[in-house]
Structures are given as C-alpha cells and as structure tokens.
Amino acid sequence: MTDSDRLLDGARIAGEIREEVRARVASLAEAGVTPRLDVVLVGEDPASRVYVGSKAKTCVELGMLSRTHELPATTNQAEVEDLVKRLNRDPDVDGVLVQLPLPRGMETHAVLDLIDPGKDVDGLHPHNVGLLVQGRPRLVPCTPAGVIEMLQREGVEVKGSRAVVVGRSEIVGKPMALMLLHQHATVTVCHSRTRDLAGVCREADVLIAAVGQLALIGPEHVREGAVIVDVGTHRVTDRATVERLFPGNERKRKTFEKRGAVLAGDVDFERVAPVAGKITPVPGGVGPLTIAMLMVNTLRAAQARRGG
C-alpha cells in the first residue's frame, strides 16, 4: 500500500457533498426557494472570523443566502438572546448558527437552547440531541456527521467493528459515539481519566481522535491496520515542535518558513501513518467535511420548513 492509498481524502469527499448540495439548491430555486443561513458572531476572535467567513463564502458558492450578524464583545446576554429570537421568527431564515466560543461570562447553553430546533444547523439544541440519542436524527452536529459520510464513502466497514472515540465533547465526542453506535459499531469513549489510554486505543478497528491535544495519539495507541480519523486542528508556531513532528518533511518546512506556522492534529501523523490502514491528514481531512455538512444541514432545514 502506498502512502497515498492510506489517506482518507476528506477534501475530495467534501467537494462531492458540496456539488450534491449545489444541485439540490438549484432545483429548489426553480420552485422559488433559496435556503438561507444566518450566523451570529459575538466578539473579535480571529479564528471565529475566519470560520464564519468560510461558511458565508461556501453558502454563496452553492447558491444559498448567508447573513452574518456581528456584535461587539461588550454585547450583553439579553441582546444576543433577543437576536436569536428574532431570527427564529423570521420566515426567510432557514438556519441559525451561533459561532462558538462566546465571550467569557456569557451563558452558552442559554443562548443555544433558544435556537428553534428546526433551524439548529449545528445540531446542538437539546431537542435535536435527544432525537440523535433515540436514533431518530434530524439536524446533527456537522463534524461527526462528516466523519460518518467519509467512512461510508471510502468503504470503511463500521458495522461490527470496535470503535474508540478519544474525547467526550458535546460537539464532537459524544455525538460521534452515538452515530457510530447507530452504524452498529461497538463503541468505547475515552477521556482524560481513562486508564491505560494506549491499551484501550489499540483495541480499535476505527480510532477517532477528538481530544484537542497536539499529537497525543502515537503509534503505541494504534493497532496495525486500524482506520485513524484525526478531528484535531492545532496551529504550531514553535520551530522545534515542527521539526519534532515532521522530521525531514520539506513541504512542512517550507510552509513554516513562509507562514510562521503549520497545522497539525491530535494524531502524530508521521509516526502513526506507517502503522495505520487508513488515516486522515491535517489539513485536508475532517476540516472541509464540517463546512460541507453545515451546508447539508442548512439545505435539510430549508426543505423541512418549506418543502422540497
């Protein structure tokens, strides 16, 4: 198996999904329906601005409408909640997304719980979470949904497999475990208090790393031939760390010299890839799938609300 054969090409699959969405949006447009996504951005977080800009750009590329509501970090809780309520009432808005994280001191759940479940394109409202738990998913979190799409489209056998999810966040870890269960995998969820993490991970046929810790997963965590999905994204700005993680990688070195940083994941890719059967790169793995599935959720919300 060549190195390229090992890669799970999330960027390519995201492109396929976007084209499918584009075709369906065009069909809806003929019936006078154009899906619309409204994003609430509070504060000046640079990463959040990049993410929001990418989401808006993708909407436009696929023929959907997008509007970003920018609020200063000094905005109080009531003002944010009032905006969400207005978007809920607006019949032209199909999807409402509150970009996280919110500024310190703001009650995140209080804001998210106000979103109309039918417009909750992040899939984080308790109503949508409950439907996912029951195996009746409607709008589901985008990143784990993208992982499932990738595994299915790449022909990875999940049914009957041993799956290990490292991380238990509300956005990725927990819904990822539920979705794998619905695909008939036997699922273990690991976290910071898991004893013998490496030993548990080595049991996995499919290992999902979503813990938010740079290069935590090494070859000692991986059974030979396992499928490795790296959800983590870290901007590495320390030269010594780049050299340690990517020894002899001229492409990464040039990127670091040009930009002053490279991206890496929760998996120590250079050391794990030779052991893995399949593995996602960072970047170009899970990241593009997240936005693609947000577009899918926006389309689904529009169809459910307005037919089509």
Side-chain angles (χ1 to χ4, degrees), residues 98-146:
V98 176
Q99 182 65 40
L100 302 179
L102 291 171
R104 183 175 300 178
M106 198 164 285
E107 297 180 21
T108 298
H109 282 298
V111 174
L112 298 181
D113 290 357
L114 282 176
I115 299 174
D116 179 343
K119 298 185 178 187
D120 169 38
V121 290
D122 255 348
L124 299 178
H125 190 280
H127 180 83
N128 287 322
V129 174
L131 289 174
L132 177 59
V133 170
Q134 291 184 339
R136 301 188 294 151
R138 184 168 62 173
L139 296 174
V140 299
C142 302
T143 298

Side-chain angles (χ1 to χ4, degrees), residues 178-230:
L178 288 167
M179 291 181 200
L180 288 165
L181 279 173
H182 298 329
Q183 295 295 317
H184 309 294
T186 299
V187 183
T188 300
V189 178
C190 297
H191 45 79
S192 60
R193 291 175 176 80
T194 299
R195 296 174 183 171
D196 188 17
L197 177 63
V200 176
C201 289
R202 283 195 302 272
E203 298 177 0
D205 302 304
V206 178
L207 177 61
I208 314 290
V211 71
Q213 186 172 332
L214 176 66
L216 173 68
I217 303 300
E220 68 275 13
H221 295 81
V222 178
R223 181 182 58 76
E224 186 169 358
V227 175
I228 312 299
V229 177
D230 191 350

